[in-house]
């Protein structure tokens, strides 16, 4: 019997096109590479917005469609002198399964426009590499520090990178990401402009939309982070005292006006592990990334959100900086996308268990929020299963907890995506208990790679 994914017509490849909005528009027409495009508008080398454009044989059609994008502006900010920028360590933890991608990333990281930074690659493979290992040749001649961490999991890898880091700020990205040349400067400058920030996250854009899985992921989630916005905000605790008694935070514009209020557990709408930076002092105060969470653990994910939540829970502040841009290559196959979405579901409820185990105040808050959130999530998922499209904005906005999923035009998203994510939620608690037990074995020297 055909699955939902294969029974429906598969979407055609979409082009991802960068356009300088201050220059004459390029001639955009349908060709052999596709008849639709995600256009990313730039001004001064910085993205100001994105727009889905249907391409025809007439370039005037695309030019008219881009009218609204050309009206977007980039807020002026004072440049920060090099002498004021913090020293930054960039940590990339890898299991070395994407050597070409890692090489392309390092090509850029080594030559970023930043006065004082270092690049640390953490070899997080559990097993000792074979004699024909490609990593030494990849790193040869590069100004990159190599750290080896054989204990399993992305959190262990990142913690090893932090332990070796010399910077005042530690920035993180992944080995399947391409960073913008100005990425680090945008992160560092935001820390200077808001001296009380504890962390900064940025925008994650797709590198390509060549396969149905990549197109559907963009339509389902809006890619990484549910709030693909290009306006800077600061996420702060709702209560003045910063006690997080109600576990609510607010997104605040530079002029002090509030964009919205939401539960701290929904911080994933403004950040993800592929593009984030923390003051070293904050990471040390939290105790590092939670080793019971993250890729490479039975919990599958959640370590990045845990660090964001811990930062806010302690009364900290997080800046969302749209000038800090990375480009991510989404999963290319439908099978891998299903696994990713299932892992997202597992990771999120595993995260809730980890937070509750660390601080019992989360239990009382979640007991109050989860019933309402479950009903919203259920309505949202049932809607997806019935229609195969994204929910209405009102349903998403009312969700008090959980990953935000924005409304998008009907992109023929298969119902199986909602199904795979949904079935991951109830599996999260058991996965977290397995992960905690495994990490205890790791610390006791009883863990051996299978």
């Amino acid at each position: 019997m055909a699955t939902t994914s294969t029974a429906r017509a598969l979407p055609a490849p979409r082009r991802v096109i960068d356009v300088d909005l201050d220059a004459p528009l390029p001639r955009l027409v349908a060709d052999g590479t596709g008849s639709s495009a995600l256009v990313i508008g730039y001004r001064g080398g910085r993205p100001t917005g994105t727009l889905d454009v249907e391409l025809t044989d007439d370039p005037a059609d695309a030019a008219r469609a881009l009218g609204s994008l050309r009206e977007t502006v980039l807020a002026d900010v004072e440049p920060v002198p090099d002498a004021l920028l913090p020293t930054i360590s960039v940590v990339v933890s890898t299991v070395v399964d994407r050597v070409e991608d890692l090489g392309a990333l390092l090509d850029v990281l080594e030559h970023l426009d930043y006065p004082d930074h270092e690049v640390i690659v953490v070899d997080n493979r559990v097993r000792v590499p074979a004699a024909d290992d490609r990593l030494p040749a990849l790193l040869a001649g590069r100004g990159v520090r190599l750290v080896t961490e054989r204990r399993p999991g992305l959190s262990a890898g990142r913690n090893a990178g932090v332990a070796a880091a010399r910077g005042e700020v530690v920035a993180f990205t992944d080995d399947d990401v391409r960073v913008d040349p100005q990425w680090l400067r945008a992160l560092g400058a935001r820390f200077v402009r808001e001296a009380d920030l504890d962390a900064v996250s940025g925008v994650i854009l797709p590198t390509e939309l060549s396969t149905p899985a990549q197109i559907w992921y963009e339509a389902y989630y809006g890619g990484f982070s549910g709030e693909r916005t290009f306006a800077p905000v600061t996420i702060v605790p709702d209560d003045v005292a910063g006690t997080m008694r109600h576990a609510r935070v607010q997104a605040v514009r530079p002029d002090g006006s509030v964009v919205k209020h939401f539960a701290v557990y929904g911080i994933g709408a403004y950040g993800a592990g592929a593009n984030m930076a923390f003051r070293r002092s904050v990471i040390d105060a939290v105790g590092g990334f939670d080793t019971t969470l993250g890729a490479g653990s039975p919990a599958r994910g959640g370590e990045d959100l845990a660090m964001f939540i811990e930062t806010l829970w302690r009364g900290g502040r997080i800046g969302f900086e749209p000038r800090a841009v990375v480009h991510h290559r989404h999963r290319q196959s439908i099978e891998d996308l299903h696994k990713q979405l299932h892992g997202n579901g597992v990771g999120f409820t595993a995260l809730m268990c980890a937070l509750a185990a660390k601080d019992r105040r989360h239990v009382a808050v979640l007991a109050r929020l989860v019933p309402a959130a479950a009903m919203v999530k259920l309505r949202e998922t049932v809607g997806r299963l019935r229609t195969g499209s994204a929910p209405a904005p009102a349903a998403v906005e009312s969700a008090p907890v959980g990953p935000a999923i924005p409304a998008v035009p009907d992109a023929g998203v298969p119902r199986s995506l909602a199904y795979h994510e949904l079935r991951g939620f109830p599996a999260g608690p058991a996965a977290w208990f397995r992960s905690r037990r495994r990490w205890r074995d790791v610390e006791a020297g009883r863990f051996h790679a299978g």
Side-chain angles (χ1 to χ4, degrees):
M1 181 171 157
T3 65
T4 305
S5 317
T6 56
R8 67 176 61 241
L10 298 179
R14 297 173 62 200
R15 295 154 64 184
V16 178
I17 303 174
D18 296 343
V19 172
D20 183 350
L21 300 175
D22 294 323
L25 290 178
R27 190 174 184 274
L28 301 181
V29 295
D31 59 21
T33 63
S35 60
S36 66
L38 175 68
V39 176
I40 305 170
Y42 285 81
R43 283 204 157 92
R46 311 290 193 184
T48 63
T50 62
L51 188 69
D52 291 311
V53 178
E54 291 299 322
L55 303 177
T56 68
D57 294 333
D58 185 353
D61 292 335
R64 282 191 293 271
L66 291 175
S68 60
L69 193 59
R70 298 193 77 176
E71 294 175 1
T72 60
V73 296
L74 190 66
D76 291 330
V77 294
E78 288 292 326
V80 174
D82 286 359
L84 297 181
L85 292 170
T87 57
I88 299 184
S89 300
V90 181
V91 172
V92 182
S93 182
T94 177
V95 293
V96 200
D97 58 348
R98 296 180 286 236
V99 177
E100 289 76 15
D101 287 343
L102 178 59
L105 171 64
L106 294 178
D107 287 342
V108 180
L109 287 181
E110 283 188 279
H111 304 101
L112 289 173
D113 175 23
Y114 201 79
D116 191 357
H117 79 285
E118 64 174 348
V119 179
I120 299 172
V121 172
V122 181
D123 179 358
N124 193 211
R125 290 174 289 187
V126 176
R127 293 189 178 89
V128 175
D132 60 351
D133 180 30
R134 298 172 63 186
L135 186 60
L138 179 67
L139 299 182
R142 296 184 185 272
V144 173
R145 296 172 58 199
L146 176 64
V147 172
T148 299
E149 175 56 89
R150 298 292 177 222
R151 293 180 298 177
L154 180 57
S155 287
R158 284 180 168 159
N159 287 340
V162 171
R166 303 181 182 127
E168 304 164 58
V169 169
V170 185
F172 301 89
T173 192
D174 296 333
D175 61 7
D176 57 353
V177 160
R178 175 171 57 86
V179 305
D180 185 90
Q182 298 289 318
W183 171 64
L184 214 55
R185 182 172 288 274
L187 291 174
R190 184 66 184 270
F191 278 109
V192 175
R193 293 191 187 99
E194 290 187 62
D196 56 354
L197 285 181
D198 298 285
V200 177
S201 64
V203 171
I204 303 176
L205 297 169
T207 299
E208 62 184 20
L209 296 173
S210 303
T211 71
Q214 292 173 329
I215 293 168
W216 285 334
Y217 186 66
E218 276 292 302
Y220 187 78
Y221 267 126
F224 277 88
S225 304
E227 299 284 342
R228 181 169 288 162
T229 176
F230 294 88
V233 296
T234 302
I235 314 300
V236 300
D238 236 358
D239 56 288
V240 177
T243 60
M244 293 297 292
R245 186 163 63 92
H246 299 292
R248 292 187 65 80
V249 295
Q250 52 186 290
V252 183
R253 298 184 183 94
D255 64 5
S257 60
V258 176
V259 177
K260 70 175 186 176
H261 302 260
F262 59 98
V264 67
Y265 310 107
I267 187 57
Y270 286 102
N275 188 359
M276 62 183 186
F278 294 84
R279 293 193 188 277
R280 171 65 183 271
S281 58
V282 173
I283 299 176
D284 290 343
V286 170
F289 289 90
D290 190 329
T291 48
T292 68
L293 300 172
S297 75
R300 305 282 292 275
E303 85 297 335
D304 49 355
L305 299 186
M307 186 61 75
F308 283 129
I309 291 170
E310 286 284 359
T311 299
L312 293 166
W313 197 254
R314 293 165 176 265
R317 301 164 67 91
I318 298 174
F320 172 76
E321 179 50 65
R323 295 168 181 261
V325 181
V326 305
H327 305 259
H328 179 264
R329 190 175 68 189
H330 302 335
R331 304 296 195 277
Q332 294 179 310
S333 74
I334 294 173
E335 179 183 6
D336 285 344
L337 176 58
H338 284 168
K339 290 178 181 178
Q340 179 186 10
L341 292 175
H342 176 67
N344 289 352
V346 172
F348 188 75
T349 49
L351 164 63
M352 297 300 104
C353 294
L355 292 173
K358 193 169 184 178
D359 189 333
R360 294 298 179 184
R361 290 178 296 171
H362 285 287
V363 176
V365 173
L366 288 169
R368 186 175 72 251
L369 294 180
V370 165
M375 290 304 298
V376 171
K377 192 69 180 176
L378 180 61
R379 289 197 301 270
E380 174 187 303
T381 304
V382 168
R384 287 185 182 278
L385 294 175
R386 286 176 177 170
T387 66
S389 61
V396 177
E397 189 64 28
S398 64
V401 63
I405 302 176
V408 296
D410 186 356
V413 177
R415 300 181 182 118
S416 60
L417 301 193
Y419 166 75
H420 283 283
E421 184 184 27
L422 181 64
R423 73 184 182 90
F425 284 107
W432 179 75
F433 279 105
R434 290 197 305 275
S435 187
R436 186 174 65 167
R437 184 168 58 249
R438 189 183 76 162
W439 189 252
R440 287 173 176 170
D441 289 342
V442 168
E443 290 182 313
R446 297 190 299 266
F447 175 80
H448 301 284

